[in-house]
């Protein structure tokens, strides 16, 4: 089944199940989801600095690939301009390479999985999924104000990104909500208030691990 907003790819081989299982052993993985502009990168940077998680941003890894000038990078840039999702195999490959490069067993993956295909390919079950809940109106205001020179931070593309998010990522959110792993956080509050809520949830996770 072709997922909404996803680009077709024929040249990329999905990561093997064995590679995924090897990566997941001994790792504490937390996914951080939220619509564009909900503050994922901001909160993840604070969590990484304050709680010792290794921050992996799907968006940053894709941007690095664009900056490298590779063939994949050129394709990623074109897709981002159109507000479409990058093929799952590319995103998962970049995440796996980054996880293998670090010795940190506590990983915070920001902006992933973006759709059910991502979720099915990576096969790494997170301990928790944090959802930064923010309205489209507030998120759009933030995106238009941040002006980071990103090809997808303009009004037309932002609308497309929200459409893709609602079609592709909401089913993933519903899945983690149904299995009890989702923690919903009001992300329209000031940054420090949001961080306090996040810290409380992740501190409980740490205590749970220490208790085993």
């Amino acid at each position: 089944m072709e997922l909404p907003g996803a680009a077709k790819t024929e040249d990329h081989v999905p990561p093997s199940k064995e590679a995924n299982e090897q990566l997941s052993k001994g790792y504490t993985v937390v996914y951080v989801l939220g619509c564009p502009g909900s503050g994922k990168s901001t909160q993840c940077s604070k969590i990484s600095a304050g709680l010792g998680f290794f921050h992996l941003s799907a968006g940053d890894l894709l941007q690095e690939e664009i900056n490298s000038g590779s063939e994949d990078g050129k394709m990623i840039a074109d897709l981002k301009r159109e507000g479409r999702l990058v093929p799952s195999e590319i995103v998962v490959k970049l995440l796996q390479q980054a996880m293998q490069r670090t010795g940190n067993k506590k990983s915070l993956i920001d902006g992933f999985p973006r759709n059910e295909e991502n979720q099915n390919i990576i096969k790494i079950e997170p301990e928790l999924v944090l959802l930064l809940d923010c309205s489209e109106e507030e998120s759009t205001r933030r995106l238009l104000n941040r002006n980071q020179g990103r090809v997808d931070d303009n009004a037309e593309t932002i609308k497309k990104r929200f459409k893709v998010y609602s079609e592709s990522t909401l089913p993933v959110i519903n899945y983690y909500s149904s299995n009890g792993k989702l923690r919903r956080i009001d992300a329209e509050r000031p940054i420090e208030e949001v961080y306090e809520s996040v810290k409380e949830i992740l501190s409980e996770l740490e205590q749970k691990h220490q208790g085993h």
Side-chain angles (χ1 to χ4, degrees), residues 43-54 104 106 108 130 195-206:
Q43 291 302 323
C44 286
S45 296
K46 292 179 77 64
I47 295 163
S48 177
L51 300 174
F53 277 80
F54 180 67
N104 194 332
K106 296 196 312 184
L108 195 68
L130 300 177
Y195 178 57
E196 284 304 314
S197 297
V198 170
K199 196 163 64 168
E200 190 176 329
I201 290 167
L202 292 180
S203 295
E204 287 174 11
L205 179 64
E206 294 274 281

Side-chain angles (χ1 to χ4, degrees), residues 79-95:
L79 291 170
K80 283 167 78 72
R81 279 191 202 96
E82 296 166 14
R84 297 169 67 199
L85 291 179
V86 175
S88 296
E89 290 85 355
I90 293 178
V91 183
V92 171
K93 179 183 76 173
L94 293 173
L95 282 168

